[in-house]
């Protein structure tokens, strides 16, 4: 080392918009804006999993954080925990735990979830308490406002909000229309 200690703050943060579940080379990214305390965000998660299984070479998934702060006080810190886990390649695992435990998202629980998924870093709790990833959550919220989100969960492909029921059948139409257009342009 060059005589200088590396400060945790010197390490670049991987923003949530770059944390993908599924094949990063897939032609379509399904983006969801959601809230970890939201019952509806939790309920539609199986649809996302089913789509990833049905179209492994066509889509990947990006979860963006849109905590409803007026009713879900713990969702913001849970979003920070997910981003922190993403820094260690454990976003998908933390995402699953947060959705399954949406009513138990205090800092002590979040730290316990981190241990469960194999995060050994002592910085996890410090980053969480210190709000290191707060600006990332804030950025997702600003992006959601820019896109005109009225309720969550909200799904997008290429900044176009998907309409209708959140079902595998409905979203398949959007996915196939985009991938079929790509094939036609080759």
């Amino acid at each position: 080392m060059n005589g200088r200690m590396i400060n945790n703050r010197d390490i670049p943060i991987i923003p949530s918009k770059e944390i993908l579940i599924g094949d990063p080379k897939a032609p379509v990214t399904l983006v969801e804006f959601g809230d970890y305390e939201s019952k509806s965000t939790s309920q539609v998660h199986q649809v996302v999993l089913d789509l990833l299984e049905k179209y492994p070479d066509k889509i990947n998934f990006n979860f963006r954080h849109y905590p409803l702060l007026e009713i879900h006080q713990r969702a913001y810190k849970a979003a920070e925990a997910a981003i922190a886990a993403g820094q260690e390649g454990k976003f998908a695992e933390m995402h699953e735990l947060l959705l399954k435990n949406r009513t138990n998202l205090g800092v002590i629980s979040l730290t316990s979830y981190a241990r469960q998924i194999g995060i050994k870093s002592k910085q996890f709790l410090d980053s969480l308490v210190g709000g290191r990833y707060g600006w990332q959550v804030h950025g997702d919220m600003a992006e959601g406002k820019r896109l005109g989100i009225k309720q969550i969960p909200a799904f997008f492909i290429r900044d176009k909000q998907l309409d209708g029921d959140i079902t595998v059948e409905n979203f398949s139409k959007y996915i196939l229309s985009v991938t079929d257009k790509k094939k036609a342009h080759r």
Side-chain angles (χ1 to χ4, degrees):
M1 271 171 67
N2 60 7
R4 145 178 133 87
M5 284 187 53
I6 295 176
N7 183 323
N8 190 22
R9 303 244 180 235
D10 293 339
I11 300 167
I13 295 173
I14 302 165
S16 55
K17 67 182 176 187
E18 294 178 14
I19 300 173
L20 301 174
I21 296 174
D23 181 358
K25 293 181 181 128
V28 176
T29 298
L30 177 65
V31 178
E32 175 186 359
F33 283 82
D35 171 326
Y36 284 120
E37 278 189 271
S38 160
K39 185 176 184 179
S40 55
T41 297
S42 179
Q43 287 174 330
V44 301
H45 184 59
Q46 189 58 51
V47 171
V48 172
L49 295 176
D50 291 347
L51 288 166
L52 286 167
E53 187 175 317
K54 185 172 183 174
Y55 302 110
D57 57 338
K58 292 185 181 192
I59 69 164
N60 56 44
F61 175 65
N62 177 240
F63 186 83
R64 303 292 295 278
H65 309 280
Y66 204 79
L68 304 176
L69 301 176
E70 60 280 354
I71 56 173
H72 295 151
Q73 289 78 27
R74 293 181 174 191
Y76 195 94
K77 210 42 101 169
E80 286 185 57
I83 295 168
Q87 306 308 300
E88 299 195 29
K90 300 277 190 180
F91 177 82
E93 296 89 337
M94 181 63 87
H95 183 70
E96 293 294 323
L97 275 174
L98 296 174
L99 290 171
K100 285 179 183 153
N101 296 287
R102 67 179 193 80
T103 60
N104 194 12
L105 299 176
V107 172
I108 292 169
S109 296
L110 297 174
T111 304
S112 170
Y113 302 150
R115 279 195 304 275
Q116 282 178 47
I117 62 173
I119 294 176
K120 309 255 188 287
S121 164
K122 287 181 76 172
Q123 279 84 28
F124 183 86
L125 181 58
D126 292 344
S127 293
L128 209 53
V129 171
R132 178 161 196 243
Y133 302 105
W135 281 107
Q136 301 299 316
V137 178
H138 184 75
D140 281 357
M141 293 170 69
E143 178 72 4
K145 285 186 177 99
R146 182 189 72 76
L147 290 168
I149 292 175
K150 302 280 186 259
Q151 65 181 33
I152 52 131
F155 288 87
F156 293 81
I157 293 177
R158 298 199 175 116
D159 285 351
K160 180 188 182 319
Q161 188 163 4
L162 307 186
D163 305 352
D165 294 335
I166 300 170
T167 64
V168 171
E169 295 75 27
N170 188 35
F171 282 13
S172 289
K173 292 176 200 166
Y174 286 103
I175 292 162
L176 294 174
S177 76
V178 172
T179 56
D180 290 348
K181 282 180 193 169
K182 278 192 168 277
K183 282 182 194 171
H185 285 78
R186 285 188 182 164

